[in-house]
Amino acid sequence: MGAFKMELSGDKNVMRMFQDLPKAAQNRVLKPLVKQGGTMIAEEEKDEAPTATGLMKLAIGTSPLRTYKTSLLMAVGVRRGFRRAVQGSKYFGKKKTTANPTLPVQNPIRYLHIVAHGRKAISVVNKKALYDARTGKFFGQHVAAAAPNDFIERAYDRAKTTVAETIASQASEGILAEAQSLLNKG
């Protein structure tokens, strides 16, 4: 996965103004821009996501924005613990219900690596290789190959220039607005 590392540059007066702002005011300028950038990447990933059941697309989201030392961090991708009951290509709700306990529950994070990187065909003699001990199910002796579909990387590559341009265009406006509000307060 990729990571953005951006440095603000531009008009020297605006940059000096930004550096003179208190840290809280700097974060008020940058946090909405980082959130908007993360949302733009997530939307791009949803457009690229495979739609066999539609669950992978539903599971794509953003993490809450975190601050670490001098960096703002936000993760974008398939969320953990996103378990949903599916049947065919329809979405049926959050979990198995007591009314219909036979609906299978899937968690996209468990098969994301197969979707992204593919898989070789598997033919086995020992049936335990395709056996799930948790459920007691035997899946057969042959599994077809799966072609890689690295939709997350493609979406990131497509969105990163747009996100950088958006942040750059809106950063100076935010800096000027925050400096003006601080001048009006004090």
Side-chain angles (χ1 to χ4, degrees):
M1 309 294 158
F4 275 103
K5 186 172 185 176
M6 296 184 69
E7 288 186 25
L8 293 176
S9 63
D11 185 15
K12 290 183 181 183
N13 293 331
V14 174
M15 292 310 301
R16 190 172 301 120
M17 207 180 303
F18 180 74
Q19 290 169 349
D20 291 342
L21 290 174
K23 186 69 175 167
Q26 290 178 4
N27 282 340
R28 281 195 299 271
V29 171
L30 294 179
K31 279 185 177 183
L33 298 175
V34 173
K35 285 181 183 179
Q36 182 182 5
T39 304
M40 290 170 66
I41 293 172
E43 288 171 0
E44 197 68 40
E45 285 182 9
K46 285 184 180 196
D47 290 343
E48 286 282 333
T51 56
T53 63
L55 194 59
M56 187 77 72
K57 190 177 214 176
L58 286 173
I60 292 173
T62 60
S63 70
L65 189 68
R66 295 183 301 273
T67 305
Y68 179 75
K69 294 187 180 178
T70 60
S71 301
L72 295 172
L73 305 172
M74 174 180 262
V76 179
V78 177
R79 293 180 280 203
R80 293 176 183 223
F82 194 84
R83 295 179 55 209
R84 295 291 188 264
V86 294
Q87 180 178 12
S89 62
K90 297 187 184 230
Y91 169 69
F92 279 92
K94 290 188 177 181
K95 297 179 182 175
K96 289 182 185 178
T97 61
T98 54
N100 192 357
T102 60
L103 234 72
V105 175
Q106 293 182 357
N107 186 356
I109 200 74
R110 291 193 173 271
Y111 55 87
L112 174 65
H113 64 286
I114 295 173
V115 172
H117 305 295
R119 169 189 67 210
K120 294 180 182 177
I122 301 171
S123 294
V124 295
V125 176
N126 180 2
K127 65 181 179 181
K128 292 196 182 226
L130 296 174
Y131 176 79
D132 187 358
R134 290 182 298 158
T135 61
K137 287 185 179 179
F138 174 61
F139 298 105
Q141 292 183 327
H142 305 285
V143 176
N149 179 4
D150 202 0
F151 68 96
I152 293 176
E153 204 61 41
R154 276 196 319 269
Y156 173 75
D157 289 339
R158 273 196 343 199
K160 68 182 176 183
T161 55
T162 308
V163 170
E165 290 169 359
T166 303
I167 290 174
S169 67
Q170 294 179 2
S172 62
E173 296 168 10
I175 292 167
L176 293 173
E178 192 63 38
Q180 187 63 39
S181 72
L182 286 175
L183 286 175
N184 291 341
K185 285 182 183 177

